[in-house]
Amino acid sequence: MSDEKYDDLFQGEDEKPIDYKAILFEYLMYWPWFVACLLVCIAGAWCYLRYQAPVYNVNATVLIKQGDKNKPSGQNASLEAMQDLGMLSMASNFDNEVEIIQSRTLLKEVVNALNLNITYTEKRSFGYPMQLYKNTPVQVWMSPDEADKLTSSLQLQLECTPEGKVQVNTAFSHNGKEQTLSKHFDQLPGVLVTPVGTITLSSKDSTSIQEAHTIYATIISPTVAAANCKAHLSADPVSKVTTIVRLNYNDTNVDRGMDFLNTLVALYNRDANDDKNEVASRTAEFIDTRIQIINQELGSTENQLATYKQKAGLTDLSSDAQLALQGNAEYTQKQAENATQLRLVQFLKEYIDNPANQMEVIPANIGLTDNALATVIGQYNEMLTERKRLLRTSSESNPAVVNLDASIQATRKNVQTSVSSVLKGLEITRNDLEHQARKFEGKISNAPTQEKELLSITRQQEIKASLYLMLLQKREENAITLAATANNGRIVEEPLSGGPVSPNSRTFYLLALVLGIGIPVSIIYLSNLLRFKIESRADVEKITNVPVIGDIPVVETKGNPIVVRENRNDLMEEVFRSVRTNIQFMLQENQKVVLFTSTSSGEGKSFTAGNLACSFAFMGKKVVIVGLDIRKPGLNKVFHLSHKEKGITQYLVDPEHTDLLSLCQTSSESENLYILPGGIVPPNPTELVARQTLDQAIEILKKHFDYVLLDTAPIGMVTDTQLIARVADLSVYICRADYTHKSHYELINDLKKDHKLPNICTLINCINMNQRKNGYYYGYGKYGKYGKYGYGKKYGYGK
């Protein structure tokens, strides 16, 4: 077959399809590794899960109550107006409540209420430590203030006996040093004093310790415990159109998780109610103070009236005086109402002007008739309440708080201005009423002086009595407001365990399965990447598209490189018969010359050429093998010839006086096999093989022999072979398993592409068939190598 036919045959095959079946078979050969690694990984996952405490999810839903958005009043109305104008950007009230319910401050209150900064465990012989919550026989307590000063956890080992005795061993860090402390208690309760704080030990009841226990108690700072709780707590809205939030809490103890959520909601409602009732509480204090003052003034006025009547002996008034008095009484009543409002406004002004009440809510609902003033006071109180709630989850530097402070200051000035305006209005009204009253007093100027004094005293009594009754009424209304405060949050779904969330056994076993398969695959893959030498036929097929005509296994030569014998059917005979058949198939009619070469020395060119020549001879063909590696002849060693034997170099030097056929020696292996050695090493080997004499010599051999085999020099080291290739019909490129570098072997692709070797094919030498990496077994047992053969660094002339 010509070079053109081979070029057409392999054109477009530079990119070979991936043989997934071969890859799978290659990995399956290492199935014991996969089985062992899978067993180890699964066993490791099982042990890990065995020593990991399961974490359960406890969830509940809470309704956060909101005000009527369709009727904004007070601060809400002003804030919404500012938001519409773009002057203020604030999160919705619902978002604020969600942040408050999971704030660290509130969580710390829950931790202190349930003593969650103290955990109890009891070790088991096999498995994760058992978590104790309400069933611990010995309870440990440390004040939250002292526990908050702990810089590291405080460990307590409690050895309990059925007699109620407890041995306490503790380890803690103090002043940067690790210290230990032990104490024995014959009975509980007991107190253990340590440098980091005082610890109180008590038993749940007198019969709680029924058998020997070793319990481990761990005390941490409530702040750290609150941070841990915050990490395990999540609060998410159920949907965008509702104000229901779902609380999820992960804990190793379900009962503890349920108590945590219930206590969290209870404390959240308590704080919210305290915020709501702050204005009412301030109002109640204000009313109580004023009632005490008015009560004293009213008592003194009534005593004065009784004394005056007794001294004056007053009985009935005259008709004229009575009419005048009726007209005067109307304005007197108005004066009383005016005086009442005036006193209330003066009290309110004194309270507002007091620097101590700068950031305190202003008493509201105290009986003011001016609705505008009451509305402004309500807006101011709502702003102060909102400010305090925002400070729970943020600082004073928060833009929302800063903007709100500005609004508060503006509203406070508005309140002060309104109070001053109302006070001035009341004073004007009072002057007008006094002017009208004086007109009626002129009409009764003739009435007894005693009657006038009596009316004055009675008027003061009525003013104080009406004010006293009004304050009593407002106090009752304020008390009703305090009692009617509703919780801000209502539990819709009670806390319920949602089952274990970690560790997920399926995930860990799946991870173990992935690792059990992935680790061997990775090792095998990396091992293949690190193999820089050709090891099998698969490596050759990955590098080149040149046809492979055979694989020659490792063989024990026993001193004789010729391993094929006539009339035998052993492994090597069959292997070389297969190679011989492939070469015959590739040679066209009248093609006889076969060239053998390789990348470097030591890859078995002479060994392969010699045994293949014998195989051709055993089939009755007349064969001559020519040693054209004239720099360092290798055929002499294969056929046990002396290096002083004459050879082809004598003919190339002097073809006119040399008989080429007389230089061909008959081999002892077969009468059909002739050997033409290289001869004496010439000083100019490259120039010698470049002469036309070589073409004449090959033509002579082709006339007298059926096959001419050329053993040439390594083409990757010298250029001799490229010059000799012009006389060859077929080129066999030899590579040696576990010897030839893959990068060096890639030279074959350049040779084929540039047509430097005619009709090129390749042959793999020295494959160890008993190794798994070759993918199969021949079944003939293990064959050893035939020994080292190569040029090394001394390739060339020598001395």
Side-chain angles (χ1 to χ4, degrees):
M1 185 179 293
S2 63
D3 292 343
E4 290 75 9
K5 292 183 179 181
Y6 269 96
D7 292 339
D8 295 338
L9 179 63
F10 293 102
Q11 187 175 6
E13 294 186 5
D14 292 336
E15 296 182 1
K16 294 184 177 180
I18 300 175
D19 190 352
Y20 294 101
K21 184 177 180 181
I23 295 175
L24 177 62
F25 182 74
E26 178 182 1
Y27 283 94
L28 287 179
M29 289 189 299
Y30 298 93
W31 67 266
W33 288 22
F34 287 90
V35 173
C37 194
L38 277 173
L39 292 177
V40 171
C41 292
I42 292 175
W46 183 84
C47 293
Y48 176 80
L49 293 173
R50 182 68 180 178
Y51 284 92
Q52 290 294 315
V55 178
Y56 300 91
N57 174 261
V58 181
N59 58 78
T61 55
V62 180
L63 172 64
I64 305 297
K65 298 179 181 178
Q66 300 287 317
D68 189 358
K69 297 182 179 179
N70 296 327
K71 297 180 180 180
S73 62
Q75 180 191 359
N76 290 336
S78 62
L79 291 180
E80 289 185 5
M82 295 176 70
Q83 286 179 341
D84 293 338
L85 294 175
M87 298 172 60
L88 186 62
S89 175
M90 296 178 58
S92 66
N93 186 48
F94 174 71
D95 294 335
N96 292 335
E97 298 300 325
V98 171
E99 290 299 323
I100 291 173
I101 204 171
Q102 55 183 340
S103 63
R104 186 177 287 105
T105 302
L106 184 59
L107 294 180
K108 189 174 180 180
E109 294 181 8
V110 177
V111 168
N112 292 332
L114 298 177
N115 291 327
L116 296 182
N117 63 314
I118 304 175
T119 56
Y120 306 88
T121 58
E122 184 178 5
K123 292 184 178 181
R124 297 186 296 175
S125 57
F126 185 68
Y128 57 86
M130 182 181 298
Q131 295 282 335
L132 304 177
Y133 177 50
K134 294 182 178 180
N135 55 344
T136 173
V138 178
Q139 295 180 342
V140 177
W141 183 84
M142 188 176 188
S143 66
D145 294 337
E146 290 184 338
D148 219 9
K149 298 178 182 178
L150 294 175
T151 57
S152 61
S153 60
L154 180 61
Q155 304 288 336
L156 297 176
Q157 180 182 354
L158 310 175
E159 297 179 0
C160 310
T161 62
E163 294 80 13
K165 299 179 180 180
V166 178
Q167 175 67 33
V168 181
N169 300 315
T170 178
F172 54 89
S173 176
H174 182 60
N175 294 330
K177 297 181 180 179
E178 295 293 332
Q179 300 183 19
T180 58
L181 182 65
S182 300
K183 188 174 182 180
H184 181 78
F185 296 93
D186 292 331
Q187 61 180 2
L188 297 179
V191 177
L192 177 64
V193 180
T194 67
V196 295
T198 302
I199 302 172
T200 303
L201 289 84
S202 61
S203 58
K204 190 174 182 181
D205 52 55
S206 58
T207 60
S208 61
I209 305 177
Q210 299 179 354
E211 59 182 9
H213 287 279
T214 300
I215 299 172
Y216 296 88
T218 303
I219 304 176
I220 62 176
S221 168
T223 303
V224 176
N228 295 337
C229 293
K230 184 176 178 64
H232 294 89
L233 174 68
S234 63
D236 301 308
V238 175
S239 66
K240 295 182 179 180
V241 297
T242 63
T243 59
I244 298 178
V245 60
R246 182 177 299 278
L247 301 177
N248 289 283
Y249 184 70
N250 296 331
D251 201 331
T252 56
N253 190 287
V254 176
D255 294 336
R256 183 168 56 193
M258 291 182 177
D259 292 345
F260 176 85
L261 291 183
N262 285 324
T263 307
L264 176 64
V265 176
L267 293 180
Y268 165 75
N269 285 328
R270 185 199 68 184
D271 292 347
N273 291 338
D274 291 344
D275 291 338
K276 290 179 181 179
N277 295 333
E278 184 177 4
V279 175
S281 299
R282 294 285 181 179
T283 304
E285 294 176 2
F286 176 82
I287 292 175
D288 290 339
T289 302
R290 296 306 169 188
I291 285 178
Q292 292 178 2
I293 296 173
I294 297 301
N295 189 28
Q296 294 175 0
E297 295 178 353
L298 182 60
S300 61
T301 304
E302 290 177 347
N303 293 335
Q304 183 182 1
L305 179 61
T307 302
Y308 179 80
K309 284 184 176 182
Q310 184 178 5
K311 289 181 179 181
L314 296 176
T315 56
D316 295 332
L317 301 175
S318 63
S319 299
D320 294 338
Q322 186 66 31
L323 293 174
L325 290 174
Q326 288 179 356
N328 191 35
E330 180 180 354
Y331 285 94
T332 301
Q333 180 66 30
K334 293 181 179 180
Q335 283 180 324
E337 294 176 358
N338 177 265
T340 300
Q341 293 295 318
L342 191 60
R343 289 289 300 275
L344 289 176
V345 174
Q346 289 174 349
F347 291 155
L348 195 60
K349 188 173 187 303
E350 293 173 1
Y351 183 86
I352 295 174
D353 294 337
N354 190 352
N357 301 325
Q358 180 68 25
M359 296 304 291
E360 300 292 339
V361 295
I362 301 174
N365 196 19
I366 59 175
L368 295 175
T369 58
D370 194 306
N371 293 330
L373 179 59
T375 301
V376 172
I377 292 175
Q379 293 177 359
Y380 179 80
N381 290 339
E382 289 178 1
M383 286 185 179
L384 287 179
T385 303
E386 182 64 16
R387 180 181 185 272
K388 291 181 179 181
R389 300 203 68 179
L390 288 177
L391 289 177
R392 290 175 177 268
T393 57
S394 62
S395 63
E396 293 184 353
S397 61
N398 189 300
V401 177
V402 173
N403 293 336
L404 192 57
D405 287 342
S407 300
I408 290 173
Q409 293 299 327
T411 306
R412 183 175 182 85
K413 291 181 180 179
N414 192 14
V415 170
Q416 291 175 342
T417 302
S418 300
V419 170
S420 299
S421 300
V422 171
L423 186 59
K424 289 181 180 180
L426 291 175
E427 289 175 352
I428 293 173
T429 303
R430 181 189 62 184
N431 295 334
D432 183 67
L433 292 175
E434 288 178 352
H435 175 71
Q436 295 296 332
R438 282 195 295 270
K439 291 182 180 180
F440 287 99
E441 288 177 356
K443 295 180 181 180
I444 59 173
S445 59
N446 297 326
T449 305
Q450 295 87 354
E451 186 66 20
K452 293 182 0 181
E453 294 180 0
L454 180 62
L455 290 175
S456 178
I457 296 173
T458 303
R459 183 175 59 188
Q460 294 296 327
Q461 180 193 17
E462 290 177 354
I463 292 174
K464 291 178 173 58
S466 62
L467 182 59
Y468 182 76
L469 292 175
M470 186 192 66
L471 290 175
L472 288 178
Q473 181 183 359
K474 295 302 179 182
R475 185 173 66 177
E476 293 302 320
E477 293 176 356
N478 193 67
I480 294 173
T481 301
L482 285 171
T485 301
N487 289 333
N488 199 49
R490 179 171 67 86
I491 295 181
V492 179
E493 294 181 356
E494 296 289 337
L496 181 67
S497 174
V501 293
S502 68
N504 192 332
S505 58
R506 291 185 178 180
T507 301
F508 280 95
Y509 283 122
L510 180 61
L511 179 62
L513 180 63
V514 172
L515 290 177
I517 297 176
I519 291 175
V521 168
S522 300
I523 294 176
I524 295 172
Y525 178 74
L526 292 176
S527 177
N528 291 336
L529 289 180
L530 296 176
R531 292 174 180 171
F532 54 89
K533 294 182 179 180
I534 292 176
E535 297 179 349
S536 64
R537 182 168 185 158
D539 294 335
V540 172
E541 292 176 345
K542 291 177 182 178
I543 296 174
T544 182
N545 288 325
V546 173
V548 181
I549 61 173
D551 309 322
I552 300 177
V554 176
V555 64
E556 191 71 35
T557 61
K558 297 181 181 180
N560 186 7
I562 301 301
V563 295
V564 294
R565 296 291 182 268
E566 191 173 8
N567 299 325
R568 293 181 62 178
N569 297 315
D570 291 338
L571 172 63
M572 298 307 293
E573 284 78 9
E574 294 297 335
V575 168
F576 277 100
R577 287 170 186 165
S578 175
V579 174
R580 180 187 67 192
T581 302
N582 290 333
I583 289 178
Q584 288 178 321
F585 173 76
M586 295 181 68
L587 290 173
Q588 297 297 309
E589 186 177 357
N590 298 325
Q591 290 185 345
K592 299 181 178 182
V593 183
V594 181
L595 178 146
F596 291 85
T597 186
S598 65
T599 306
S600 60
S601 61
E603 293 178 308
K605 300 180 301 300
S606 301
F607 166 81
T608 305
N611 283 276
L612 191 58
C614 293
S615 180
F616 274 110
F618 293 154
M619 68 177 296
K621 299 296 183 179
K622 193 175 182 182
V623 182
V624 61
I625 182 169
V626 184
L628 283 178
D629 187 359
I630 57 179
R631 294 176 183 265
K632 188 175 181 181
L635 286 182
N636 300 61
K637 186 175 181 180
V638 173
F639 292 100
H640 303 286
L641 300 177
S642 173
H643 290 286
K644 298 181 180 181
E645 291 285 345
K646 294 182 179 181
I648 192 171
T649 54
Q650 278 71 26
Y651 178 81
L652 296 177
V653 172
D654 187 10
E656 297 180 356
H657 302 88
T658 305
D659 184 6
L660 180 62
L661 296 179
S662 64
L663 298 176
C664 298
Q665 304 180 23
T666 305
S667 172
S668 60
E669 303 295 335
S670 174
E671 61 182 8
N672 293 324
L673 177 59
Y674 292 83
I675 303 167
L676 180 56
I680 301 174
V681 178
N684 54 344
T686 304
E687 291 75 8
L688 203 59
V689 297
R691 296 177 181 178
Q692 192 65 27
T693 310
L694 177 62
D695 299 75
Q696 299 174 3
I698 299 302
E699 289 298 328
I700 295 173
L701 296 176
K702 288 170 64 176
K703 293 179 181 179
H704 294 84
F705 295 94
D706 296 321
Y707 291 98
V708 179
L709 277 59
L710 307 180
D711 179 25
T712 64
I715 195 170
M717 302 180 68
V718 294
T719 59
D720 296 2
T721 303
Q722 296 185 33
L723 298 174
I724 298 173
R726 68 183 187 277
V727 299
D729 299 317
L730 176 68
S731 302
V732 180
Y733 199 93
I734 309 295
C735 67
R736 179 177 173 181
D738 297 320
Y739 183 87
T740 303
H741 287 242
K742 294 179 180 179
S743 59
H744 297 170
Y745 182 72
E746 291 178 354
L747 176 63
I748 191 174
N749 293 324
D750 296 333
L751 296 175
K752 176 179 178 296
K753 179 180 178 182
D754 299 335
H755 303 284
K756 293 182 178 180
L757 292 180
N759 203 5
I760 188 172
C761 61
T762 187
L763 178 65
I764 307 170
N765 184 31
C766 209
I767 291 182
N768 189 346
M769 296 300 179
N770 289 330
Q771 293 184 0
R772 287 179 177 268
K773 61 189 176 183
N774 294 305
Y776 51 87
Y777 298 91
Y778 270 85
Y780 289 94
K782 184 176 182 180
Y783 295 88
K785 298 182 179 180
Y786 61 85
K788 295 183 178 179
Y789 168 68
Y791 297 91
K793 295 182 179 180
K794 295 183 179 180
Y795 185 88
Y797 300 108
K799 292 185 180 179

